[in-house]
């Protein structure tokens, strides 16, 4: 009976739903999996088969599915206020959240501008940076980003990205932007990348509004982990030309890289910090751009002037999402998550190192709660084979090309990490 329900739902889904990042024709061979319920690190289908969420449901779920504490926070808020327009009105959860976020960050970051997803946060930061210089009478209309970058899929966000799979088709629609090489390795020499940046700045430095980057890990860029010292020095160079800094911590914020925010490891205070994904623990869409008072003051003027930053989303600062985000910060504080994650990260590194015995595994790397490596596959055993074999063993994996990564909820246990590694060992042996 349960299997019949699962098949019926999958058929009904395909009749009406166009899924993201999916070639829908593939589902002629690979069936969709309707999920009935979830708890902790597990997702359960209608046959009650459990799948370990190895990718945190696209990197958003921090403390497990149906987390009791977050559930209660949303339920409590729900009986009082579900949403209110944020223009001319406000509410306690967003005030509390904003003050708490700013308290966790360097003193210069004091003003929060909310949106409802990561791409929108990037759009806000890009527009705000351009508009800032416009308000000061400076004609800057270029943005600088790293090679291999991904910052979202709206037009502005795609424009500063560099993953061809996402942006190539839309090239005629995109804004003009510049790219500079990212350092090739996590701890290696970055002198050449810095020299390339210097050359770009000598030519275009006074035309560039902002330098945007994902600090430490280019996530959708095949989990490329790169040198924190490069970030520090590159940002100093950009500042010499009056260029603002945008840190895209949408995926790497909230403990993913080993610190609460990746900026803590880079010795840089950006002009704009973009946060989303884990901010609500994977419960509700929410994003925020946190910036400085000096940038805020550049827009502080009568409404009728063109100085006002008129950007909005209907669900900006949703009350329920803010309640979830406050609960997330509570868990970080009360459960000493950053310290616990450091211990888990060490264990993950030890376990995943065992996979290097295979000659099909290359470039093993780890940063905080993210492990990644490349696998050598064949036509007979393509990457989709790894995904399918993972499902058979109860693992939700989502390879990025030849890159396999493990980015679990923070509540995963050592036993489950060991199980994931053993399953991967079996799958890799089949390649």
């Amino acid at each position: 009976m349960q299997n019949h329900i699962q098949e019926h739902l999958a058929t009904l889904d395909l009749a009406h739903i166009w899924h993201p990042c999916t070639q829908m024709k593939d589902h002629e061979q690979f069936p969709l999996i309707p999920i009935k319920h979830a708890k902790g690190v597990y997702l359960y289908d209608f046959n009650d088969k459990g799948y370990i969420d190895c990718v945190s449901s696209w990197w958003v779920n921090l403390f497990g599915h149906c987390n009791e504490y977050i559930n209660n926070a949303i339920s409590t808020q729900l009986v009082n206020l579900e949403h209110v327009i944020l223009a001319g009105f406000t509410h306690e959860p967003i005030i509390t959240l904003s003050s708490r976020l700013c308290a966790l960050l360097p003193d210069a970051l004091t003003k929060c501008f909310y949106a409802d997803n990561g791409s929108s946060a990037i759009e806000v930061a890009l527009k705000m940076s351009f508009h800032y210089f416009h308000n000061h009478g400076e004609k800057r209309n270029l943005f600088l980003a790293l090679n291999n970058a991904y910052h979202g899929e709206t037009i502005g966000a795609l424009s500063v990205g560099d993953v061809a799979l996402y942006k190539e088709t839309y090239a005629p629609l995109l804004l003009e932007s510049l790219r500079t090489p990212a350092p090739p390795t996590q701890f290696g020499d970055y002198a050449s990348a810095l020299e390339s940046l210097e050359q770009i700045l000598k030519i275009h430095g006074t035309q560039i509004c902002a330098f945007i980057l994902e600090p430490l890990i280019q996530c959708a860029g095949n989990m490329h982990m790169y040198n924190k010292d490069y970030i520090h020095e590159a940002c100093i160079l950009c500042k010499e030309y009056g260029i603002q800094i945008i840190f895209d911590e949408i995926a790497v914020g909230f403990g993913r890289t080993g610190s609460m925010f990746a900026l803590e490891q880079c010795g840089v205070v950006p002009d704009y910090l973009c946060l989303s994904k884990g901010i609500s623990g994977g419960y509700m869409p929410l994003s925020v751009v946190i910036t400085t008072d000096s940038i805020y003051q550049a827009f502080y003027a009568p409404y009728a002037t063109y100085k006002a930053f008129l950007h909005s989303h209907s669900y900006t600062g949703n009350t329920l999402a803010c309640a979830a985000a406050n609960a997330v910060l509570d868990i970080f504080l009360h459960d000493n998550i950053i310290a616990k994650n450091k211990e888990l990260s060490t264990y993950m590194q030890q376990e995943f190192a065992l996979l290097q015995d295979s000659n099909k595994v290359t470039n093993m790397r780890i940063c905080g709660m993210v492990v990644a490596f490349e696998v050598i596959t064949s036509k007979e055993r393509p990457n989709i084979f790894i995904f399918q074999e993972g499902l058979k063993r109860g693992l939700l994996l989502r390879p990025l090309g030849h890159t396999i990564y493990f980015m679990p909820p923070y509540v995963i246990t050592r036993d489950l990490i060991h199980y994931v590694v053993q399953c991967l060992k079996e799958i890799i042996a089949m390649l």
Side-chain angles (χ1 to χ4, degrees):
M1 180 62 176
Q2 294 294 325
N3 193 53
H4 173 72
I5 294 173
Q6 182 140 319
E7 291 177 1
H8 172 70
L9 287 172
T11 301
L12 197 59
D13 176 292
L14 292 174
H16 300 290
I17 300 174
W18 192 344
H19 289 257
C21 287
T22 302
Q23 174 46 264
M24 296 302 295
K25 186 173 175 59
D26 289 347
H27 286 303
E28 292 177 5
Q29 297 180 7
F30 310 122
L32 279 166
I33 302 176
I35 295 299
K36 182 180 180 181
H37 63 101
K39 186 65 179 176
V41 300
Y42 281 99
L43 303 164
Y44 296 92
D45 65 19
F46 280 76
N47 296 315
D48 290 323
K49 179 176 180 177
Y51 304 88
I52 298 172
D53 193 349
C54 298
V55 300
S56 295
S57 288
W58 253 340
W59 320 339
V60 300
N61 189 285
L62 300 188
F63 300 121
H65 297 276
C66 292
N67 180 284
E68 186 175 339
Y69 188 83
I70 303 175
N71 285 359
N72 289 338
I74 294 172
S75 297
T76 300
Q77 182 58 48
L78 184 59
V79 299
N80 292 309
L81 176 65
E82 82 298 341
H83 181 66
V84 65
I85 182 175
L86 205 63
F89 291 84
T90 189
H91 53 84
E92 187 174 2
I94 200 169
I95 295 168
T96 301
L97 175 62
S98 302
S99 61
R100 294 177 76 181
L101 287 173
C102 291
L104 290 170
L105 292 164
D107 291 344
L109 296 171
T110 59
K111 292 293 190 294
C112 299
F113 191 99
Y114 287 87
D116 49 21
N117 65 77
S119 295
S120 294
I122 298 300
E123 297 285 333
V124 167
L126 297 176
K127 288 175 63 178
M128 200 175 278
S129 180
F130 170 82
H131 201 161
Y132 170 86
F133 288 107
H134 174 80
N135 284 353
H136 282 285
E138 288 191 55
K139 292 183 178 180
R140 296 183 182 236
N141 60 355
L142 296 177
F143 289 93
L144 176 65
L146 293 175
N147 286 348
N148 192 52
Y150 173 90
H151 296 290
E153 294 171 45
T154 49
I155 295 300
L158 271 181
S159 298
V160 292
D162 187 41
V163 180
L165 176 67
Y166 299 103
K167 73 178 291 184
E168 207 167 58
T169 301
Y170 307 104
L173 302 177
L174 303 182
L175 308 174
E176 185 178 359
S177 63
L178 303 170
R179 293 194 297 273
T180 188
T185 61
Q186 199 171 3
F187 303 108
D189 183 33
Y190 54 86
S192 176
L194 213 57
E195 288 173 10
S196 296
L197 173 62
E198 285 187 277
Q199 292 306 310
I200 290 171
L201 295 179
K202 285 177 182 177
I203 300 169
H204 299 288
T206 58
Q207 300 170 278
I208 298 169
C209 298
F211 177 35
I212 181 170
L213 62 158
E214 293 174 276
L216 301 181
I217 310 176
Q218 294 181 311
C219 292
N222 296 102
M223 293 295 166
H224 176 60
M225 301 177 187
Y226 67 105
N227 200 305
K228 65 182 177 62
D229 295 325
Y230 165 83
I231 297 171
H232 179 79
E233 293 188 37
C235 290
I236 289 174
L237 276 177
C238 287
K239 283 295 184 182
E240 291 177 3
Y241 289 84
I243 297 168
Q244 296 182 330
I245 307 298
I246 301 171
F247 269 14
D248 174 355
E249 292 213 29
I250 288 160
V252 301
F254 296 101
R256 276 293 170 199
T257 64
S259 51
M260 189 64 171
F261 302 105
L263 63 84
E264 297 170 39
Q265 300 177 52
C266 303
V268 174
V269 180
D271 298 283
Y272 308 91
L273 175 65
C274 300
L275 301 172
S276 190
K277 289 192 182 290
I279 191 171
S280 69
Y283 272 71
M284 310 282 287
L286 182 68
S287 66
V288 62
V289 178
I290 307 177
T291 189
T292 67
D293 189 63
S294 62
I295 291 172
Y296 171 82
Q297 290 298 328
F299 297 88
Y300 201 82
Y303 185 87
T305 71
Y306 288 107
K307 287 191 171 184
F309 187 65
L310 301 179
H311 183 104
S312 61
H313 298 269
S314 300
Y315 282 93
T316 292
N318 175 259
T319 314
L320 298 178
C322 291
N326 278 311
V328 164
L329 294 184
D330 288 345
I331 296 171
F332 269 107
L333 177 64
H334 298 149
D335 293 353
N336 200 19
I337 296 300
I338 299 300
K340 289 181 179 178
N341 278 1
K342 287 179 181 177
E343 294 179 2
L344 264 185
S345 178
T346 299
Y347 182 75
M348 283 164 52
Q349 186 171 22
Q350 294 168 355
E351 283 291 305
F352 276 84
L354 301 175
L355 298 179
Q356 295 180 100
D357 292 340
S358 171
N359 60 8
K360 295 172 183 173
V361 172
T362 64
N363 192 23
M364 180 69 69
R365 55 203 184 275
I366 185 168
C367 181
M369 290 295 290
V370 183
V371 179
F373 58 93
E374 273 68 57
V375 290
I376 300 170
T377 58
S378 64
K379 283 187 177 181
E380 294 74 28
R381 292 285 191 268
N383 298 326
I384 192 68
F385 174 82
I386 297 171
F387 172 73
Q388 290 176 299
E389 288 297 319
L391 291 178
K392 291 178 184 178
R393 293 162 174 77
L395 306 183
L396 170 54
L397 300 165
R398 193 174 172 86
L400 292 162
H402 294 285
T403 302
I404 308 300
Y405 70 92
F406 182 59
M407 198 171 181
Y410 302 158
V411 295
I412 196 164
T413 63
R414 293 188 175 207
D415 286 346
L416 288 179
I417 292 169
H418 178 76
Y419 175 75
V420 170
V421 172
Q422 292 306 307
C423 288
L424 283 169
K425 197 169 187 178
E426 292 175 9
I427 297 168
I428 291 166
M430 299 169 68
L431 296 174

